[in-house]
């Protein structure tokens, strides 16, 4: 991990005047990042949690500073270099609000949380807003299982992310002997999948749009979809939902995202209008009048935004992925019918209900909410049920289910926190590849957005579902062989031996946040999570997609030696390798 990359992401915030990121250690010798930030004005000061939320849009989780310390100026040596030894010991932003523990359980929890986070913490402070992440959460749960005779899940921590709340959970579990009441179950998902009766279409809009609304434009697929729409709708204005404190920051984030993917053109600036909001908030974080005005202006909606995390539970993803979709459907029916193009995922079939199915068709109904092993798939199942409910009420909706999306096949531009990116970098860092019999279905992002854009322009596409994936497969063995031919020496070893090396690798390895994907057994089987994901194992029908593209030159390229070389070149240009 390059600290300069983290500092560069901090500088993308126009409020930042100066910054230095350092590696600190907690009392148990565990490393974590601290960002010391100087702002142009104290009036621009934001919370540490808010600053970290901005960085989550740009960096993989393991590169997010655990703490952000705001300073008037960075200390300098006589040679005018940053004096790292003089940097203050990191503390929480709101130390003055720390509330002391009241019970013996809370006292124990304060000791454990302080040890894990490396800073003093009160009983009402949120774990995830105080430097906690998925890795620290796993460490915390391990410490809790040693200190208390209970087994708590990550779901429990997200539902009760404070010491005061978790103390109540521990007391309740001690009394009942079960954590079931705190776990997300299929009944919870089914209840969330009921669409509000007020979301109902009643008039029609024009088909050829000049005002387009796009969510997820600061994400990977969303950025390339924005670029594709700008190129093929030269007269259109595109309104992009962006989470930011002000218009200047929102504009900067959009421009920076496109620049990072090497697709920015100066003339785009006059046709992109940032809408400051938040998918996880009612009315997308807008006032009711502004929400209604937006609904009246836009003529088509591309809902690409989502919180993608394969480790966090449903509870952590619900507001953005389920609540956000519900608000998009509300927007589409607020003042008129506005067609919706919803970007979904093939992960919705990542449940035991689909085991043994030889072919999953685009026309197949979704089965029940049971049998899912991760919160992301659960959240997308619920969101898609809501979209289908709106479609049944008369809203023109097209659903595009994507598999694993990789970088641009020509330029190599890639989201560096993408699973495949981290796997490639992690394999190179580890120096070994696994003998793992999996076939990965990987589709370059340029094919994905070309297909979505073209299909969305066809009137016959409305009310259809499309599986947008590659007809080609890349085996793990082929990936490792290609990396060897491209100059990275990676001997293949048996999977159990490779897993052992994984457990003993450096914490700086890019595979660190993904260890559970390669280790965790699914449904008491011998297969690990990585062997059961939708981009690996199942067979998907894509007849609607292929029929819709038959008269075009939009063809999915295979991930071959040439494409992988483009990816590696982009990694090196970005300092990722």
């Amino acid at each position: 991990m390059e600290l300069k990359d983290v500092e560069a992401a901090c500088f993308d915030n126009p409020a930042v005047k100066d910054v230095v990121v350092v590696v600190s250690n907690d009392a148990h010798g565990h490393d974590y990042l601290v960002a010391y930030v100087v702002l142009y004005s104290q009036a621009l000061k934001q919370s540490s949690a808010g600053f970290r939320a901005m960085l989550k849009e740009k960096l993989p989780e393991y590169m997010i500073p655990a703490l952000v310390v705001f300073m008037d100026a960075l200390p300098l040596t006589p040679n005018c270099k940053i004096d790292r030894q003089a940097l203050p010991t990191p503390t929480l932003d709101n130390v003055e609000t720390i509330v002391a523990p009241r019970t013996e359980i809370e006292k124990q929890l304060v000791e454990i949380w302080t040890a894990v986070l490396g800073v003093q913490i009160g009983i009402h402070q949120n774990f995830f807003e105080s430097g906690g992440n998925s890795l620290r959460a796993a460490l915390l749960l391990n410490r809790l299982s040693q200190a208390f005779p209970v087994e708590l899940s990550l779901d429990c921590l997200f539902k009760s992310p404070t010491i005061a709340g978790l103390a109540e959970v521990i007391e309740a579990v001690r009394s009942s002997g079960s954590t079931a009441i705190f776990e997300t179950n299929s009944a919870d998902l089914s209840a969330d999948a009921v669409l509000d009766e007020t979301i109902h279409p009643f008039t029609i809009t024009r088909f050829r749009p000049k005002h387009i609304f796009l969510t997820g434009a600061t994400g990977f697929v969303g950025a390339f979809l924005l670029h594709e729409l700008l190129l093929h709708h030269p007269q259109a204005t595109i309104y992009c939902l962006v989470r930011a404190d002000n218009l200047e920051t929102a504009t900067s984030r959009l421009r920076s995202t496109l620049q990072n993917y090497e697709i920015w053109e100066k003339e785009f600036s006059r046709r992109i209008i940032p809408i400051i909001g938040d998918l996880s908030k009612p009315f997308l974080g807008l006032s009711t009048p502004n929400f209604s005005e937006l609904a009246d202006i836009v003529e088509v909606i591309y809902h690409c935004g989502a919180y993608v995390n394969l480790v966090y539970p449903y509870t952590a993803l619900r507001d953005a992925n389920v609540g956000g979709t519900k608000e998009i459907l509300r927007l589409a029916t607020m003042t008129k019918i506005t067609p919706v193009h919803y970007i979904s995922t093939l992960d919705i079939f990542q449940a035991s209900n689909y085991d043994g199915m030889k072919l999953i068709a685009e026309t197949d109904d979704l089965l029940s909410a049971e049998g899912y092993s991760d919160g992301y798939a659960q959240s997308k199942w619920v969101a898609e049920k809501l979209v289908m409910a709106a479609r049944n009420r008369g809203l023109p909706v097209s659903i595009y289910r994507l598999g694993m999306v990789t970088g641009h096949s020509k330029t190599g531009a890639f989201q560096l926190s993408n699973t495949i990116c981290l796997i490639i970098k992690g394999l190179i860092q580890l120096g070994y590849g696994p003998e793992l019999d999996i076939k990965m279905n990987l589709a370059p992002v340029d094919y994905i957005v070309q297909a979505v854009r073209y299909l969305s322009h066809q009137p016959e596409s409305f009310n259809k579902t499309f599986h947008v994936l590659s007809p080609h497969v890349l085996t793990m063995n082929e990936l490792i062989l290609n990396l060897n031919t491209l100059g990275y020496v990676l001997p293949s070893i048996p999977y159990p031996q490779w897993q052992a090396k994984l457990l003993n690798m450096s914490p700086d390895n890019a595979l660190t946040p993904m260890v559970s994907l390669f280790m965790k057994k699914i449904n008491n089987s011998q297969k690990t999570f990585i062997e059961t994901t939708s981009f690996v194992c199942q067979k998907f029908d894509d007849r609607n997609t292929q029929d819709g593209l038959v008269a075009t030159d939009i063809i999915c390229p295979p991930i071959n030696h040439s494409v992988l070389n483009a990816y590696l070149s982009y990694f090196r240009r970005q300092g990722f390798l």
Side-chain angles (χ1 to χ4, degrees):
M1 175 176 57
E2 292 290 340
L3 297 181
K4 293 295 183 184
D5 293 339
V6 184
E7 291 172 355
C10 293
F11 275 120
D12 281 342
N13 187 326
V16 175
K17 180 180 181 181
D18 205 357
V19 64
V20 63
V21 177
V22 302
V23 179
S24 190
N25 302 96
D26 61 23
H28 298 273
H30 297 107
D31 293 343
Y32 63 95
L33 298 182
V34 181
Y36 294 88
V37 177
V38 178
L39 302 177
Y40 281 104
S41 167
Q42 286 301 308
L44 300 173
K45 187 172 181 180
Q46 50 200 281
S47 68
S48 175
F51 196 89
R52 293 175 71 249
M54 180 274 293
L55 292 177
K56 287 180 181 178
E57 303 286 342
K58 299 177 176 294
L59 298 170
E61 185 182 26
Y62 71 97
M63 293 176 69
I64 305 295
L67 290 174
V68 178
V69 179
F70 293 101
M71 303 180 66
D72 294 331
L74 297 178
L76 301 177
T77 66
N79 295 327
C80 293
K81 294 184 178 181
I82 295 174
D83 187 352
R84 296 171 184 265
Q85 300 299 319
L87 292 169
T89 302
T91 57
L92 295 179
D93 284 345
N94 49 351
V95 170
E96 68 275 7
T97 64
I98 285 179
V99 177
R102 303 159 298 184
T103 66
E104 194 58 40
I105 290 180
E106 289 182 350
K107 289 179 182 178
Q108 289 181 267
L109 289 177
V110 166
E111 292 179 3
I112 295 171
W113 286 40
T114 300
V116 169
L117 293 174
V119 292
Q120 184 184 8
I121 190 167
I123 64 171
H124 296 306
Q125 285 163 314
N126 188 297
F127 176 81
F128 296 99
E129 294 177 0
S130 304
N133 55 27
S134 58
L135 296 177
R136 287 171 176 257
L139 178 60
L140 178 68
L141 293 176
N142 180 261
R143 300 281 178 86
L144 293 177
S145 67
Q146 296 174 14
F148 302 98
V150 296
E151 289 293 333
L152 301 179
S153 67
L154 197 55
D155 213 4
C156 293
L157 182 58
F158 269 99
K159 289 182 176 179
S160 302
T162 66
I163 287 173
L166 204 60
E168 294 178 1
V169 171
I170 291 172
E171 288 280 21
V173 172
R174 279 178 167 178
S175 301
S176 65
S178 172
T179 62
I181 59 174
F182 300 103
E183 304 287 347
T184 299
N185 54 46
S186 59
D188 296 327
L189 301 181
S190 297
D192 281 347
V194 177
L195 187 62
D196 190 330
E197 284 296 330
T198 62
I199 300 175
H200 212 293
F202 54 90
T203 58
I204 192 65
T205 188
R206 293 186 302 167
F207 177 72
R208 299 188 65 83
K210 289 188 177 180
H211 301 279
I212 300 171
F213 184 61
L214 171 66
T215 68
T218 56
F220 179 43
V221 175
F224 278 93
L225 183 55
L226 172 59
H227 179 254
E228 184 76 8
L229 293 172
L230 286 166
L231 291 181
H232 291 274
H233 286 277
Q235 304 304 317
T237 299
I238 303 182
Y239 300 79
C240 298
L241 186 72
V242 184
R243 190 171 58 190
D245 293 327
N246 53 60
L247 188 60
E248 183 182 9
T249 302
T251 301
S252 175
R253 284 193 58 202
L254 287 166
R255 182 177 62 250
S256 176
T257 299
L258 297 188
Q259 287 173 336
N260 286 340
Y261 294 136
E262 303 176 348
I263 51 177
W264 170 254
E265 296 180 25
K266 189 175 181 180
E267 63 187 40
F268 289 164
S269 59
R270 64 182 178 82
R271 298 173 50 212
I272 300 174
I273 297 182
I275 301 296
I276 298 174
D278 190 330
L279 272 180
S280 65
K281 305 295 184 184
F283 296 105
L284 303 176
L286 307 178
S287 66
T288 303
N290 287 347
F291 187 82
S292 181
E293 181 182 1
L294 181 65
D296 198 45
I297 291 173
V298 298
E299 298 159 320
V300 64
I301 297 171
Y302 290 84
H303 181 30
C304 192
Y307 187 1
V308 181
N309 189 302
L310 300 182
V311 177
Y312 280 176
Y314 173 77
T315 309
L317 310 177
R318 177 180 181 270
D319 287 349
N321 295 355
V322 176
T325 300
K326 190 176 295 185
E327 295 310 305
I328 288 295
L329 297 173
R330 190 185 310 280
L331 184 74
T333 58
M334 186 92 172
T335 61
K336 63 182 186 303
I337 291 181
T338 303
V340 174
H341 297 283
Y342 173 64
I343 309 300
S344 186
T345 172
L346 291 171
D347 278 2
I348 59 170
F349 300 113
Q350 187 192 301
S352 56
N353 283 333
Y354 300 95
D355 289 351
M357 291 182 65
K358 293 183 178 179
L359 184 70
I360 299 176
E362 292 158 310
T363 54
D364 285 347
D365 291 331
L366 293 183
L367 301 179
S368 74
E370 297 178 354
Y372 285 92
S373 57
D374 76 281
Y376 176 65
Q378 289 176 324
S379 70
K380 296 299 280 187
W381 180 91
V382 175
E384 193 166 314
K385 294 291 280 188
L386 293 173
V387 171
M388 290 178 171
R391 183 162 67 182
N392 291 338
R393 293 180 188 177
L395 181 67
V397 172
S398 298
I399 298 172
Y400 308 85
R401 295 174 181 151
L402 312 185
M404 177 57 71
V405 183
T406 60
H408 195 285
S409 63
K410 298 294 192 298
T411 69
F414 218 137
Q415 182 183 40
L416 299 181
S417 59
N418 180 285
T419 299
I420 297 301
C421 274
L422 297 179
I423 287 176
I424 291 174
K425 179 175 180 176
L427 287 172
I428 292 171
Q429 290 176 312
L430 193 63
Y432 292 91
E435 294 176 357
L436 186 57
D437 186 24
I438 60 173
K439 296 179 180 180
M440 297 177 286
N441 187 291
L442 310 175
V445 69
D446 43 316
Y447 167 72
I448 294 293
V449 297
Q450 288 169 18
V452 169
R453 187 266 309 163
Y454 180 83
L455 293 169
S456 70
H457 288 181
Q458 313 310 310
E460 59 270 20
S461 293
F462 283 121
N463 299 328
K464 285 186 179 179
T465 298
F466 301 91
H467 290 169
V468 190
L469 67 161
S470 173
H472 314 286
V473 295
L474 177 72
T475 67
M476 181 66 77
N477 290 334
E478 288 172 336
L479 172 62
I480 294 167
L481 179 63
N482 275 301
L483 290 175
N484 275 280
T485 61
L486 289 166
Y488 296 95
V489 180
L490 291 175
S492 294
I493 59 178
Y495 193 36
Q497 294 179 25
W498 185 81
Q499 287 177 308
K501 289 187 177 294
L502 202 64
L503 291 175
N504 293 293
M505 67 184 174
S506 164
D508 292 334
N509 191 293
L511 289 170
T512 298
M514 303 169 56
V515 169
S516 64
L517 304 186
F518 290 96
M519 306 299 297
K520 181 182 176 182
K521 295 292 192 298
I522 298 299
N523 298 328
N524 299 317
S525 72
Q526 292 304 306
K527 290 187 175 182
T528 55
F529 185 93
I530 198 69
E531 296 171 89
T532 62
T533 52
S534 62
F535 72 94
V536 168
C537 66
Q538 290 154 313
K539 177 68 175 175
F540 298 101
D541 160 56
D542 63 346
R543 190 172 310 167
N544 284 348
T545 301
Q546 294 308 315
D547 288 348
L549 299 177
V550 69
T552 75
D553 59 357
I554 300 174
I555 300 172
C556 184
I559 308 297
N560 54 22
H561 183 279
S562 174
V563 174
L564 284 171
N565 188 46
Y567 293 165
L568 292 169
S569 296
Y570 179 77
F571 293 170
R572 289 189 288 268
R573 290 200 301 276
Q574 294 292 314
F576 187 63
L577 282 180

